[in-house]
């Protein structure tokens, strides 16, 4: 791999009282946090806690009702398209084009991010080799097994070397071995300097993060490294921490 | 969506019975009066007094009048010869020539029947009494020389096929784009696109280009079938036909994209498309001439791109009109295309 970049104090994501309301319902309630460059930042919370809504605001998919935020140095209110140039995004739902081939998907998204044809070709070759994907290159994406699809979706989301990649429950529905491999890819990405912002339901995955925030009812209830959180809540693992915090939730899971 | 559910029965039952009427009225008449006599004026007055005809053009010669038909300004031409009055008074009898634009066969022949009726009435009530000598040899003072223009055999297929081609284009290039973005919304790829820095304009253009190709293929198949099965070959140039097709497809698929942008689900998109298609097809002049509809329905039809292309296709196929004669329609269709696509780009929201 390339040189290992340790999390630096350069702030890649900064939010200040970020809020999103849908009518009378406050999905995200004045959240403030910072994420450093190269960090793996875990974003935890029960269903309906507001994780996805918060993430969508940071990605420029949803307009905040109030509060401030910058991603990769760009204001999410005023420069959403600049934010988009500098991030990668992988949603819960697999969302590459099923009826395009593997290489066509890569070319499409690479092209949208303004990569040159040559750059795309070289990187595609490198990627196919690294993932042992050479035989799948000309296959339609819909014919791939789920584990492959997820690896591909992640690879496409960081193909243009964004400053930050947002992963929304990236490992939903895959087996533990594939999950393990997936996290290896996340580590590699973080080591190359890409900041990783990841939501998850799996508490073992939370342990892999540099820092973790836990959302309850639209607010951030806890934010620290997994080790510190376990000490603070006197729990053996992250699951223990999560259980204690999630019990406070008043919102009924829809 | 609930609005549409109310609008649908209201539109269908309040608009269509008027618009889809088979009664022909408001026929446009071009008059060539070579006599300028009291009697020729009387005849023209008798025709307009019937209420079926509007004089839209007064020409000096037959060629001028024919041009007004090419431009769709008139449906029938009546040519009153020189010495009209004199020949009637002397009892020689006179021939009035009537040419009907038979592109729309039904309209042409119905118009012809009306005008013949009016003239024979005029013969009997006004002239036979005044000039009984004309009727002596069993001839009416005024006789009619009937001519059908552009579709001599009053072949209904000739009239329908070009219009049906427009319907095909509308269905193929209006329906599928309407499904396209909604489909991606349901699939999740839309969100993936929205999180990229792709400019809105680029995205919409990329969505439209396939329909251009599809439209050109569809119309080409149409042209081939029209030729093989019905023996129809456009009287005009192919480049005019394809030129209009491209402009039209651009506009109608833009409308599809707009629908797709607003709809949340496929069902919604299909319902809205169905709604528009009904109105567009009914008010296109495909079955019943738009001119015979009440004025308010004509106003709706004026905003119907389908109606304009239907006129254009018939004109290209039957009259051989070129861009020059169809300039008005070209401008209208370009305006539709620009309007729909601007709206399509604006209504596409990358950020909710």
């Amino acid at each position: 791999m390339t040189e290992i970049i340790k999390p630096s104090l350069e702030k890649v994501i900064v939010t200040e009282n970020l809020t999103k309301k849908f009518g009378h319902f406050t999905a995200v309630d004045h959240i403030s946090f910072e994420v450093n460059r190269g960090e793996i930042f875990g974003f935890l919370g029960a269903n309906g806690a507001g994780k996805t809504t918060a993430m969508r605001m940071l990605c420029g998919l949803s307009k905040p009702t109030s509060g401030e935020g910058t991603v990769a140095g760009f204001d999410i209110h005023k420069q959403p398209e600049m934010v988009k140039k500098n991030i990668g995004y992988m949603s819960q739902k697999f969302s590459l084009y099923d009826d395009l081939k593997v290489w066509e998907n890569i070319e499409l998204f690479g092209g949208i991010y303004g990569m040159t044809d040559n750059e795309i070709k070289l990187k595609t070759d490198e990627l196919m080799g690294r993932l042992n994907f050479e035989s799948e290159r000309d296959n339609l994406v819909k014919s791939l097994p789920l584990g492959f699809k997820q690896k591909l979706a992640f690879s496409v989301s960081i193909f243009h070397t964004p400053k930050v990649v947002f992963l929304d429950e990236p490992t939903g529905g895959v087996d533990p071995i594939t999950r393990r491999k997936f996290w290896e890819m996340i580590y590699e990405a973080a080591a190359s300097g890409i900041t990783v912002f990841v939501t998850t339901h799996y508490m073992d995955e939370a342990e892999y993060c540099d820092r973790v925030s836990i959302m309850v009812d639209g607010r951030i209830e806890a934010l620290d490294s997994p080790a510190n959180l376990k000490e603070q809540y006197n729990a053996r693992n992250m699951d223990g921490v999560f259980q204690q915090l999630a019990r406070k939730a008043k919102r009924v899971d829809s | 969506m609930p609005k549409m559910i109310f609008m649908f029965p209201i539109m269908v039952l309040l608009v269509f019975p008027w618009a889809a009427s088979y009664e022909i009225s408001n026929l446009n008449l071009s008059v060539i009066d070579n006599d300028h006599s009291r009697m020729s004026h009387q005849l023209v007055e008798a025709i307009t007094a019937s209420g079926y005809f509007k004089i839209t053009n007064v020409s000096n010669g037959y060629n001028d009048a024919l041009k007004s038909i090419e431009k769709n300004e008139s449906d029938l031409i009546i040519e009153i010869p020189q010495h009209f009055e004199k020949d009637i008074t002397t009892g020689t009898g006179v021939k009035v020539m009537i040419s009907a634009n038979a592109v729309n066969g039904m309209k042409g022949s119905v118009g012809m029947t009306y005008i013949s009726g009016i003239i024979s009435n005029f013969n009997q009530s006004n002239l036979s009494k005044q000039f009984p000598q004309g009727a002596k040899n069993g001839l009416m003072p005024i006789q009619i020389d009937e001519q059908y223009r552009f579709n001599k055999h009053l072949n209904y297929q000739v009239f329908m096929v070009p219009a049906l081609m427009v319907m095909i284009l509308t269905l193929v290039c209006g329906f599928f784009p309407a499904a396209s973005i909604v489909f991606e919304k349901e699939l999740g790829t839309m969100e993936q696109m929205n999180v990229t820095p792709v400019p809105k304009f680029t995205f919409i253009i990329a969505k439209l280009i396939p329909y251009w190709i599809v439209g050109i293929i569809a119309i080409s198949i149409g042209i081939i079938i029209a030729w093989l099965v019905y023996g129809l070959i456009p009287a005009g140039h192919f480049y005019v036909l394809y030129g209009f097709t491209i402009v039209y497809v651009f506009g109608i698929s833009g409308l599809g994209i707009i629908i797709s942008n607003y709809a949340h689900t496929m069902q919604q998109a299909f319902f809205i498309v169905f709604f528009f298609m009904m109105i567009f097809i009914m008010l296109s002049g495909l079955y019943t001439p738009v001119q015979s509809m009440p004025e308010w329905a004509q106003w709706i039809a004026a905003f119907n791109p389908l109606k304009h292309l239907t006129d254009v296709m018939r004109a290209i196929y039957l009259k051989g009109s070129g861009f020059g004669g169809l300039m008005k329609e070209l401008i209208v269709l370009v305006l539709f295309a620009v309007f729909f696509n601007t709206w399509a780009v604006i209504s596409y929201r990358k950020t909710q």
Side-chain angles (χ1 to χ4, degrees):
Chain A
M1 267 327 287
T2 44
E3 48 154 344
I4 308 267
I5 300 164
K6 283 272 152 222
S8 67
L9 288 178
E10 189 191 329
K11 307 267 182 278
V12 178
I13 304 174
V14 181
T15 72
E16 182 93 36
N17 290 322
L18 199 61
T19 303
K20 178 80 181 187
K21 290 183 182 171
F22 297 105
H24 293 294
F25 177 73
T26 310
V28 175
D29 193 1
H30 297 87
I31 60 170
S32 307
F33 63 90
E34 290 171 350
V35 180
N36 302 321
R37 177 159 180 245
E39 201 172 19
I40 301 177
F41 189 82
F43 210 54
L44 275 57
N47 287 336
K51 294 182 309 259
T52 301
T53 309
M55 187 183 246
R56 288 172 57 87
M57 283 193 279
L58 296 176
C59 293
L61 283 173
S62 172
K63 277 204 177 73
T65 311
S66 64
E68 302 301 322
T70 59
V71 173
F74 297 101
D75 190 302
I76 58 172
H77 283 284
K78 296 185 196 109
Q79 301 160 295
E81 294 304 300
M82 287 307 292
V83 168
K84 287 172 188 177
K85 273 201 175 94
N86 290 284
I87 62 170
Y89 175 76
M90 179 183 169
S91 72
Q92 303 175 22
K93 234 178 178 177
F94 175 75
S95 46
L96 294 180
Y97 285 90
D98 262 344
D99 41 9
L100 290 182
K101 291 171 184 162
V102 170
W103 69 267
E104 287 171 332
N105 266 295
I106 297 173
E107 191 180 81
L108 171 65
F109 285 99
I112 286 175
Y113 287 102
M115 294 169 72
T116 63
D117 291 349
N118 204 28
E119 216 179 328
I120 292 173
K121 205 192 157 302
L122 288 174
K123 268 196 105 172
T124 307
D125 289 343
E126 184 267 331
L127 180 68
M128 293 292 116
R130 184 152 48 85
L131 295 179
N132 270 330
F133 247 40
E134 208 50 63
S135 57
E136 305 285 353
R137 194 187 185 116
D138 289 326
N139 288 346
L140 290 182
V141 159
K142 66 174 157 218
S143 68
L144 301 178
L146 185 64
F148 271 52
K149 280 190 186 177
Q150 261 154 333
K151 277 191 210 164
L152 182 65
F154 178 67
S155 304
V156 169
S157 71
I158 58 165
F159 195 72
H160 58 288
T161 40
K163 293 208 170 82
V164 197
V165 63
F166 290 90
L167 310 172
D168 196 3
E169 291 171 30
T171 55
V174 296
D175 62 75
I177 298 164
T178 314
R179 261 173 60 199
R180 180 81 222 176
K181 284 197 184 135
F182 194 87
W183 273 89
E184 279 166 19
M185 291 175 74
I186 292 179
Y187 270 107
E188 274 174 36
S192 72
I194 298 175
T195 307
V196 179
F197 187 100
V198 56
T199 71
T200 181
H201 274 141
Y202 299 106
M203 288 307 133
D204 57 327
E205 289 185 351
E207 310 265 1
Y208 304 149
C209 299
D210 293 318
R211 282 193 305 149
V212 161
S213 82
I214 298 177
M215 271 186 96
V216 178
D217 290 350
R219 284 185 302 275
I220 292 183
E221 283 296 321
L223 198 171
D224 214 328
S225 66
N228 289 349
L229 284 176
K230 282 185 276 189
E231 200 183 301
Q232 194 187 333
Y233 287 90
N234 198 16
R236 254 188 315 121
N237 52 25
M238 280 305 292
D239 199 38
V241 177
F242 188 74
Q243 295 293 345
Q244 288 183 44
L245 287 166
R247 219 170 285 145
K248 295 183 193 167
K250 290 185 187 72
R251 267 186 211 165
V252 182
D253 190 3
S254 49
Chain B
M1 197 60 185
K3 263 183 265 163
M4 299 295 286
I5 291 167
F6 279 104
M7 283 290 284
F8 195 61
I10 293 173
M11 282 297 282
V12 169
L13 292 173
L14 291 183
V15 175
F16 294 162
W18 302 92
S21 130
Y22 277 88
E23 194 192 57
I24 310 272
S25 57
N26 294 331
L27 291 156
N28 293 332
L29 184 68
S30 175
V31 178
I32 312 166
D33 185 354
N34 292 320
D35 196 41
H36 295 290
S37 58
R38 191 179 53 84
M39 203 165 285
S40 72
H41 288 172
Q42 274 179 2
L43 177 64
V44 173
E45 255 167 52
I47 293 171
T48 47
S50 71
Y52 291 111
F53 298 94
K54 279 189 303 201
I55 296 176
T56 48
N57 175 279
V58 178
S59 301
N60 289 322
Y62 189 69
N63 285 336
D64 278 359
L66 210 54
K67 271 195 196 114
S68 78
I69 286 196
E70 268 170 39
K71 282 192 235 152
N72 259 336
E73 285 166 9
S74 39
D75 305 306
L76 289 109
I77 303 173
I78 177 165
E79 187 172 20
I80 301 169
Q82 274 184 320
H83 316 305
F84 174 79
E85 187 173 88
K86 201 178 112 211
D87 288 351
I88 292 173
T89 20
T90 56
T92 346
V94 65
K95 268 199 170 172
V96 167
M97 194 193 66
I98 295 165
S99 299
N101 172 13
V103 166
N104 179 340
M106 190 173 66
K107 197 157 114 186
S109 57
V110 169
M112 189 68 90
T113 315
Y114 285 165
I115 213 162
S116 310
I118 294 163
I119 291 177
S120 77
N121 210 358
F122 188 76
N123 269 330
Q124 280 163 359
S125 58
N126 291 29
L127 304 176
S128 303
K129 282 175 216 148
Q130 289 176 38
F131 313 104
Q133 62 268 51
K136 263 182 215 158
N137 31 21
L139 284 171
M140 285 295 170
I142 306 174
Q143 289 144 42
I144 298 166
D145 178 9
E146 292 186 2
Q147 286 189 1
Y148 288 99
R149 281 284 163 177
F150 305 113
N151 181 6
K152 278 185 194 132
H153 311 294
L154 291 175
N155 181 345
Y156 201 61
Q157 284 164 354
V158 175
F159 167 65
M160 284 306 279
V161 169
L164 287 171
M165 284 185 187
V166 179
M167 205 170 93
I168 294 166
L169 275 184
T170 310
L171 288 173
V172 173
C173 301
F175 210 76
F176 289 113
S180 66
I181 291 179
V182 201
F183 180 62
E184 287 206 36
K185 278 183 198 168
E186 290 188 348
L187 224 57
T189 45
M190 203 57 219
E191 191 170 82
Q192 196 67 50
M193 272 295 154
N194 288 344
V195 86
T196 68
V198 64
K200 287 162 74 168
F201 183 75
T202 313
F203 182 80
I204 298 294
I205 285 289
K207 279 278 163 207
L208 290 175
I209 288 170
Y211 299 107
W212 260 336
I213 299 167
V214 168
I216 285 177
I217 294 172
I219 199 83
S220 302
I221 295 173
I223 291 170
I224 292 169
I225 294 179
W227 170 56
L228 287 179
V229 180
Y230 303 103
L232 289 182
I233 294 163
H237 289 287
F238 279 105
Y239 72 86
V240 183
L241 204 161
Y242 279 103
F244 270 101
T245 302
I246 288 172
V247 174
Y248 180 73
V249 169
F250 187 44
I252 203 78
S253 29
L255 177 68
I257 301 269
I258 297 171
I259 294 173
S260 211
N261 279 334
Y262 285 105
H264 296 292
T265 62
M266 291 286 243
Q267 278 127 310
Q268 258 182 24
F270 285 152
F271 188 76
I272 300 169
V273 168
F274 186 69
F275 179 79
F276 277 105
M277 289 294 165
M278 282 280 284
I279 298 171
F280 279 174
I281 290 171
M282 289 302 231
L283 295 176
S284 70
L286 175 65
Y287 299 109
T288 51
V290 172
Q291 269 176 308
S292 312
M293 295 174 189
E295 205 182 321
W296 55 266
Q298 291 190 34
W299 272 103
I300 302 175
F303 292 95
N304 178 3
L306 202 69
K307 185 240 165 200
H308 295 281
L309 193 70
T310 304
D311 288 350
V312 166
M313 280 295 181
R314 283 174 177 158
I316 296 173
Y317 254 90
L318 297 150
K319 299 184 215 161
S321 308
F323 282 122
L326 299 168
M327 200 39 86
K328 199 183 88 197
E329 279 79 6
L330 185 64
I331 293 168
V332 170
L333 286 171
V334 166
L335 287 179
F336 272 123
V338 171
F339 173 73
F340 284 145
N341 287 290
T342 310
W343 189 359
V345 171
I346 292 170
S347 63
Y348 165 41
R349 295 194 183 281
K350 290 184 74 181
T351 307
Q352 253 79 49

